Amino acid sequence: VFLRHGQTDKASDSSVSADMSRNLTCHGRQQASAASSWLASLEALPRAGQVGLICSSSASRCQDTVALATDHASDVQVLAGIYDGVNVGVCREAFSQVGHASTAAYIARGFGPILRDYGARVLLELALALDACEARNCLPPLWHGVHTSGKKLCGTVVVC
């Protein structure tokens, strides 16, 4: 399960530190709380697993979303690669050119290599977190955008 953080306030400037410290708005906190009910309904589905691992970026808005949406806030595995500010400049440039569009649109505009590098970095971190989770005999979770396979909740929540 991938869950995006709730609505945030605007950054005070264009620096990475200002972006990382953006907080959830009142509406964003309500969105995160609503995600709690949604997650509980998923866990109640037949053959659904229970949340065993939650991965999140270190951004305060993501940490707050985890705290409001789950009762597992103390068990969060921070994945630095989800958002570490490494590609901020090029990502802002890509967004200014492509905006809210599909991944295919970003690839068509030449931003595929950046997406591949980002994906590889995050997947490696996630694989390591899942290995550690498996060693503790638990199922994994993920948060940032909301996506499920439709077959089985495998217990992973990642908040980005």
Side-chain angles (χ1 to χ4, degrees):
V1 175
F2 289 88
L3 180 69
R4 184 166 174 77
H5 59 77
Q7 181 187 64
T8 63
D9 56 12
K10 295 200 184 302
S12 58
D13 60 52
S14 62
S15 69
V16 172
S17 61
D19 187 50
M20 290 292 286
S21 63
R22 287 186 298 139
N23 295 311
L24 294 173
T25 62
C26 182
H27 182 64
R29 296 180 69 76
Q30 291 170 344
Q31 290 171 319
S33 295
S36 176
S37 300
W38 178 77
L39 267 178
S41 71
L42 289 180
E43 288 180 333
L45 293 173
R47 299 180 51 216
Q50 297 299 306
V51 170
L53 172 68
I54 296 175
C55 300
S56 175
S57 79
S58 60
S60 60
R61 59 192 176 266
C62 297
Q63 299 292 312
D64 291 345
T65 298
V66 169
L68 291 165
T70 76
D71 56 0
H72 303 281
S74 62
D75 301 326
V76 175
Q77 174 71 42
V78 173
L79 302 183
I82 292 175
Y83 181 67
D84 57 7
V86 168
N87 293 324
V88 169
V90 73
C91 290
R92 286 185 180 151
E93 175 61 24
F95 186 77
S96 73
Q97 290 184 34
V98 186
H100 293 285
S102 67
T103 303
Y106 277 84
I107 292 169
R109 294 291 295 270
F111 295 106
I114 295 160
L115 294 174
R116 279 190 298 277
D117 291 347
Y118 171 77
R121 189 173 66 241
V122 173
L123 286 174
L124 176 60
E125 276 192 279
L126 180 57
L128 294 171
L130 292 173
D131 282 349
C133 183
E134 187 177 343
R136 295 191 320 264
N137 196 26
C138 66
L139 294 171
L142 306 167
W143 296 88
H144 201 118
V146 181
H147 304 288
T148 64
S149 67
K151 294 183 180 175
K152 181 179 178 186
L153 175 67
C154 67
T156 299
V157 176
V158 176
V159 177
C160 314

